[in-house]
Amino acid sequence: SSLVEQTTPIALTIVDEFRAVGNIEFPDRDLDNDELGGTVTWSPPGDMTLVAEYYAYLSDTPAGLGRSQISSSVTAGTNSVDLAPEQAQNSSEYVVVYVASSLVEQTTPVALAISD
């Protein structure tokens, strides 16, 4: 009521879910130094509940700092993105892949060090 706090509160259980891809692979098919090209592939999470799409980036760090998106998002069930040939590597040292639900992209990616 507007006069007093209720005596029996309502409780809800909070569930924090985590999903991540596995086995990222990126065989660089571009033969030039400091240029990248090829297909980034990954294994989907074991539990696909809540997974709506994936985002793949070139990144300066394994945590996704200084990232540049490789392509638009891909829907769950698609486990690869193509990186056009002659893509400048710049300062990117990693390929990172994020899982996204219908609400938001995860904050911690899975990373693979680039071998050029």
Side-chain angles (χ1 to χ4, degrees), residues 4-116:
V4 66
E5 180 179 299
Q6 76 183 45
T7 57
T8 308
I10 300 210
L12 299 172
T13 302
I14 296 174
V15 178
D16 188 16
E17 299 285 339
F18 177 79
R19 304 289 185 273
V21 301
N23 304 318
I24 299 176
E25 294 183 7
F26 174 62
D28 181 17
R29 303 286 187 213
D30 190 295
L31 301 178
D32 297 321
N33 283 334
D34 300 323
E35 291 185 353
L36 305 171
T39 301
V40 178
T41 61
W42 58 85
S43 299
D47 181 355
M48 291 294 291
T49 307
L50 304 177
V51 176
E53 55 193 354
Y54 304 103
Y55 291 88
Y57 300 88
L58 295 177
S59 174
D60 296 347
T61 71
L65 298 176
R67 65 187 183 187
S68 172
Q69 195 165 355
I70 293 174
S71 70
S72 59
S73 67
V74 295
T75 56
T78 302
N79 301 315
S80 65
V81 293
D82 291 323
L83 180 62
E86 300 181 2
Q87 168 72 45
Q89 184 174 356
N90 298 320
S91 60
S92 299
E93 297 293 327
Y94 297 87
V95 172
V96 294
V97 179
Y98 291 81
V99 174
S101 69
S102 60
L103 298 176
V104 69
E105 175 183 288
Q106 74 185 118
T107 56
T108 306
V110 175
L112 171 72
I114 295 172
S115 176
D116 183 33

